[in-house]
Amino acid sequence: MASSVTGSVLPSGSKVFTTIPDFLFIPEFVFGGLVWTLVASTHVVPANPLGWVMFVSIFCFLITTFWFFIFITGKNQSSIWPGLDAGYHAFAAFFYLSAAVLLAYITIFLNALPYTDVLKMYKLDIAAVVMAFVTTLLYFIHAVLSSLRWKSS
């Protein structure tokens, strides 16, 4: 993978797929979409906390999609974009960490619920927790690498 420090400040076009940290957009889409799908496929027993998890996953999925299209089209070439990139990914990592911890807390107490399909919901929630923490890690790594790129620009 090529480094995005050389040449222009941020990559555009197809270089987004080959530069560090921008290649992380695709795994962020995949794992963030999995969190969204897995939480949506379970019963919403504690509605408010799972609503926060759904909000975070949909919000970050949509904003990352918007962010990705900005990078693909090359509208990210002014000097403010490296800082915005680092800031957004740090913000998304914090949001996903809050959602992942909340989802893990809810999943711990899911076994006590009197439902017939608790085991299926429990397995789906465990998968969602794992995907949420993986997505948190991806956003965190992206934020750190974007911060390093911002510092070097």
Side-chain angles (χ1 to χ4, degrees):
M1 305 238 163
S3 175
S4 64
V5 177
T6 60
S8 65
V9 176
L10 293 174
S12 62
S14 63
K15 291 181 184 176
V16 172
F17 297 108
T18 60
T19 55
I20 297 172
D22 302 309
F23 70 92
L24 292 172
F25 276 123
I26 301 304
E28 290 167 358
F29 285 136
V30 171
F31 289 105
L34 283 173
V35 172
W36 178 7
T37 305
L38 289 167
V39 171
S41 66
T42 63
H43 294 288
V44 182
V45 178
N48 200 11
L50 286 180
W52 173 251
V53 175
M54 286 298 290
F55 168 77
V56 168
S57 60
I58 293 171
F59 175 80
C60 289
F61 188 85
L62 293 176
I63 298 299
T64 301
T65 303
F66 177 68
W67 208 258
F68 180 69
F69 284 124
I70 287 172
F71 273 60
I72 289 290
T73 59
K75 304 291 184 194
N76 60 346
Q77 296 304 311
S78 70
S79 62
I80 195 170
W81 281 98
L84 288 174
D85 188 39
Y88 164 67
H89 285 94
F91 178 75
F94 175 73
F95 258 29
Y96 254 107
L97 181 63
S98 70
V101 168
L102 187 63
L103 187 58
Y105 179 76
I106 290 168
T107 303
I108 288 171
F109 295 105
L110 189 61
N111 278 335
L113 297 176
Y115 290 108
T116 57
D117 58 345
V118 170
L119 185 59
K120 179 183 174 189
M121 285 182 9
Y122 187 66
K123 288 178 181 179
L124 288 173
D125 278 348
I126 287 176
V129 168
V130 170
M131 295 304 140
F133 278 110
V134 168
T135 307
T136 301
L137 181 64
L138 288 169
Y139 275 112
F140 179 75
I141 291 169
H142 200 145
V144 169
L145 294 176
S146 293
S147 297
L148 292 173
R149 177 172 57 193
W150 179 32
K151 182 181 175 187
S152 69
S153 63

